[in-house]
C-alpha cells in the first residue's frame, strides 16, 4: 500500500523567491513518484516523475524534485517563482507497474500563492 | 506528453436525468483509464479503474449502478451518472495510462451541476 503526505496545504512566496513544496511518501515497494499541477477548473498536468533512474528529476516550467529514499521524501522546488506558478500542486505515488497502467495515490494538495 | 480529451467541460442537468462524460486518449492507446471525483478544495478521490474490454473495478463506497463506466476501446472510456441528484454535483476527472507506463495523463475535467 502507498500513501502520500503533503505538508502545508497553503504556501505563499514572493515572485522571484524559492518555491519549496514538501512531499513524503510511504510505500511497501520501490515507488514511482509524481508531481502534478492543477489550475482552476482544469485537469492535472504532469510536472515531473521519478521512476528509479536519476534521483534529481527535472520537469517542466523550471521545476525539479529530488528523491531521497532515506527521508522518504520527494520535495518539489523551483529557484524563482513566477506569478503563473500559482496553482494547486499534487504529489502522487504508485507502486509496481501492473498489467495495464498504474493506480496513483494522491496527497491532499498544496495551494501555491505567488505575491508581488 | 500524451493528450487526453474529456468532454463536456461543463454540464448542467436536471435532477433525475442521466449524464454521460467521455474521456478519449488522442495519441496513445489507453489500456487503463481512471475516473476521479474532486470536491472543492479537496484532493482527488478515485472512483473506479477500467481496463479496456473488462468490467470496471470500483472503489469502496462508490455505487457502481449509479456511476456506469464503459471502456469499450483503447481510446475511449465513458462515465454515465445515472439518475443524477444535486449531491452528485462535482468535478469529475479522468486519466489514462498504458501498459508499462508509470504515469497517467489527465483530461481537462467535467464540472457537473445537478439542479
Amino acid at each position: 500500500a502507498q500513501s502520500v503526505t503533503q505538508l502545508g496545504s497553503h504556501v505563499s512566496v514572493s515572485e522571484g523567491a524559492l518555491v519549496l513544496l514538501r512531499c513524503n511518501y510511504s510505500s511497501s515497494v520501490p515507488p514511482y513518484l509524481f508531481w502534478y499541477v492543477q489550475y482552476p477548473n482544469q485537469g492535472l498536468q504532469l510536472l515531473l516523475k521519478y521512476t528509479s533512474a536519476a534521483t534529481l528529476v527535472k520537469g517542466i516550467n523550471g521545476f525539479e524534485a529530488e528523491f531521497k529514499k532515506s527521508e522518504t521524501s520527494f520535495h518539489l522546488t523551483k529557484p524563482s517563482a513566477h506569478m503563473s506558478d500559482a496553482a494547486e500542486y499534487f504529489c502522487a505515488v504508485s507502486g509496481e507497474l501492473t498489467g495495464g497502467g498504474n493506480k496513483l495515490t494522491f496527497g491532499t494538495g498544496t495551494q501555491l500563492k505567488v505575491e508581488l | 506528453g500524451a493528450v487526453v480529451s474529456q468532454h463536456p467541460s461543463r454540464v448542467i442537468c436536471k435532477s433525475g436525468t442521466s449524464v454521460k462524460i467521455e474521456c478519449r486518449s488522442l495519441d496513445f492507446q489507453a489500456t487503463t483509464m481512471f475516473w476521479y471525483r474532486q470536491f472543492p478544495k479537496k484532493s482527488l478521490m478515485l472512483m473506479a479503474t477500467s481496463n479496456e474490454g473488462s468490467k470496471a473495478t470500483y472503489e469502496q463506497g462508490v455505487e457502481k449502478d449509479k456511476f456506469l463506466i464503459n471502456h469499450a476501446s483503447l481510446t475511449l472510456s465513458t462515465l454515465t451518472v445515472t439518475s443524477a441528484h444535486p449531491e452528485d454535483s462535482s468535478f469529475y476527472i479522468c486519466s489514462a495510462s498504458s501498459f508499462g507506463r508509470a504515469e497517467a495523463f489527465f483530461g481537462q475535467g467535467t464540472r457537473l451541476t445537478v439542479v
Side-chain angles (χ1 to χ4, degrees), chain B residues 21-106:
Chain B
I21 303 170
E22 291 188 350
C23 181
R24 293 181 184 272
S25 57
L26 299 186
D27 52 3
F28 69 102
Q29 293 185 327
T31 46
T32 304
M33 287 189 172
F34 305 88
W35 287 94
Y36 296 85
R37 183 172 178 175
Q38 187 177 31
F39 294 95
K41 301 188 186 300
K42 296 290 186 182
S43 188
L44 286 76
M45 181 192 79
L46 180 65
M47 299 174 65
T49 303
S50 72
N51 292 305
E52 185 265 338
S54 303
K55 286 186 177 180
T57 301
Y58 290 81
E59 297 297 304
Q60 192 171 8
V62 177
E63 300 176 61
K64 61 181 180 182
D65 294 331
K66 177 170 210 33
F67 299 100
L68 301 179
I69 292 171
N70 182 279
H71 190 171
S73 78
L74 286 171
T75 59
L76 174 65
S77 177
T78 60
L79 166 67
T80 301
V81 183
T82 62
S83 186
H85 288 91
E87 57 264 32
D88 299 325
S89 298
S90 193
F91 194 59
Y92 293 88
I93 310 176
C94 71
S95 72
S97 185
S98 57
F99 184 82
R101 290 190 95 151
E103 69 271 40
F105 297 94
F106 285 78

Side-chain angles (χ1 to χ4, degrees), chain A residues 18-88:
Chain A
L18 171 72
V19 175
L20 171 61
L21 304 182
R22 299 179 185 273
C23 172
N24 288 87
Y25 71 91
S26 172
S27 178
S28 55
V29 297
Y32 296 106
L33 294 158
F34 310 87
W35 276 98
Y36 286 87
V37 61
Q38 184 181 33
Y39 296 97
N41 292 310
Q42 294 188 26
L44 276 67
Q45 180 183 11
L46 180 66
L47 278 177
L48 48 80
K49 63 181 179 183
Y50 167 76
T51 55
S52 75
T55 56
L56 182 61
V57 181
K58 294 186 183 298
I60 62 172
N61 302 338
F63 285 94
E64 62 182 39
E66 186 172 8
F67 172 70
K68 292 186 177 181
K69 184 178 179 180
S70 60
E71 299 177 8
T72 61
S73 68
F74 190 58
H75 302 330
L76 181 71
T77 60
K78 181 174 180 178
S80 177
H82 191 272
M83 295 296 289
S84 60
D85 294 328
E88 186 86 19

